[in-house]
Short mmCIF file of all heavy atoms in Angstrom, two decimals:
data_model
loop_
_atom_site.label_atom_id
_atom_site.label_comp_id
_atom_site.label_asym_id
_atom_site.label_seq_id
_atom_site.Cartn_x
_atom_site.Cartn_y
_atom_site.Cartn_z
N VAL T 370 5.66 38.12 -16.97
CA VAL T 370 5.21 36.93 -17.69
C VAL T 370 3.70 36.84 -17.62
O VAL T 370 3.10 36.99 -16.56
CB VAL T 370 5.83 35.66 -17.06
CG1 VAL T 370 5.31 34.41 -17.76
CG2 VAL T 370 7.34 35.73 -17.11
N MET T 371 3.07 36.60 -18.73
CA MET T 371 1.61 36.41 -18.73
C MET T 371 1.30 35.07 -18.08
O MET T 371 1.87 34.05 -18.44
CB MET T 371 1.06 36.41 -20.17
CG MET T 371 1.01 37.78 -20.81
SD MET T 371 -0.09 38.91 -19.96
CE MET T 371 -1.67 38.16 -20.33
N SER T 372 0.43 35.09 -17.11
CA SER T 372 0.08 33.86 -16.40
C SER T 372 -0.86 33.02 -17.25
O SER T 372 -2.02 33.34 -17.42
CB SER T 372 -0.58 34.21 -15.06
OG SER T 372 -0.91 33.04 -14.37
N GLU T 373 -0.33 31.94 -17.77
CA GLU T 373 -1.14 31.04 -18.60
C GLU T 373 -1.86 30.05 -17.69
O GLU T 373 -1.27 29.46 -16.79
CB GLU T 373 -0.22 30.29 -19.56
CG GLU T 373 -0.95 29.33 -20.47
CD GLU T 373 0.01 28.52 -21.32
OE1 GLU T 373 1.12 29.02 -21.60
OE2 GLU T 373 -0.34 27.39 -21.68
N LYS T 374 -3.15 29.87 -17.93
CA LYS T 374 -3.92 28.92 -17.14
C LYS T 374 -4.28 27.73 -18.02
O LYS T 374 -5.14 27.85 -18.89
CB LYS T 374 -5.18 29.57 -16.59
CG LYS T 374 -4.91 30.61 -15.51
CD LYS T 374 -6.23 31.11 -14.93
CE LYS T 374 -5.97 32.12 -13.82
NZ LYS T 374 -7.23 32.64 -13.25
N PRO T 375 -3.62 26.59 -17.82
CA PRO T 375 -3.95 25.41 -18.63
C PRO T 375 -5.41 24.98 -18.48
O PRO T 375 -6.00 24.45 -19.41
CB PRO T 375 -3.00 24.33 -18.09
CG PRO T 375 -1.89 25.09 -17.43
CD PRO T 375 -2.51 26.33 -16.90
N VAL T 376 -5.98 25.21 -17.29
CA VAL T 376 -7.36 24.81 -17.04
C VAL T 376 -8.15 26.04 -16.58
O VAL T 376 -7.75 26.72 -15.63
CB VAL T 376 -7.45 23.71 -15.96
CG1 VAL T 376 -8.90 23.35 -15.67
CG2 VAL T 376 -6.67 22.48 -16.38
N GLU T 377 -9.25 26.33 -17.27
CA GLU T 377 -10.10 27.46 -16.90
C GLU T 377 -11.52 27.00 -16.66
O GLU T 377 -12.04 26.14 -17.38
CB GLU T 377 -10.09 28.53 -18.00
CG GLU T 377 -8.76 29.27 -18.13
CD GLU T 377 -8.87 30.45 -19.09
OE1 GLU T 377 -9.98 31.02 -19.20
OE2 GLU T 377 -7.87 30.77 -19.74
N LEU T 378 -12.15 27.58 -15.63
CA LEU T 378 -13.53 27.26 -15.32
C LEU T 378 -14.46 28.06 -16.23
O LEU T 378 -14.40 29.28 -16.28
CB LEU T 378 -13.83 27.58 -13.85
CG LEU T 378 -15.26 27.32 -13.37
CD1 LEU T 378 -15.59 25.84 -13.41
CD2 LEU T 378 -15.46 27.88 -11.96
N GLN T 379 -15.33 27.36 -16.95
CA GLN T 379 -16.31 28.01 -17.81
C GLN T 379 -17.67 28.13 -17.11
O GLN T 379 -18.29 29.18 -17.12
CB GLN T 379 -16.49 27.22 -19.11
CG GLN T 379 -15.22 27.02 -19.92
CD GLN T 379 -14.80 28.28 -20.65
OE1 GLN T 379 -14.03 29.07 -20.10
NE2 GLN T 379 -15.31 28.49 -21.84
N GLU T 380 -18.10 27.03 -16.51
CA GLU T 380 -19.40 27.02 -15.83
C GLU T 380 -19.35 26.11 -14.61
O GLU T 380 -18.64 25.10 -14.60
CB GLU T 380 -20.52 26.50 -16.76
CG GLU T 380 -20.87 27.41 -17.90
CD GLU T 380 -21.96 26.80 -18.80
OE1 GLU T 380 -22.62 25.83 -18.33
OE2 GLU T 380 -22.12 27.25 -19.93
N LEU T 381 -20.11 26.48 -13.58
CA LEU T 381 -20.26 25.65 -12.39
C LEU T 381 -21.71 25.71 -11.93
O LEU T 381 -22.24 26.80 -11.70
CB LEU T 381 -19.34 26.14 -11.26
CG LEU T 381 -19.55 25.51 -9.88
CD1 LEU T 381 -19.24 24.02 -9.90
CD2 LEU T 381 -18.70 26.22 -8.83
N THR T 382 -22.35 24.55 -11.82
CA THR T 382 -23.74 24.49 -11.35
C THR T 382 -23.82 23.50 -10.19
O THR T 382 -23.31 22.38 -10.28
CB THR T 382 -24.69 24.02 -12.47
OG1 THR T 382 -24.54 24.88 -13.60
CG2 THR T 382 -26.13 24.06 -11.99
#
Side-chain angles (χ1 to χ4, degrees):
V370 177
M371 286 297 292
S372 181
E373 180 185 332
K374 290 185 178 179
V376 178
E377 290 188 29
L378 179 65
Q379 302 285 91
E380 291 178 16
L381 170 64
T382 304

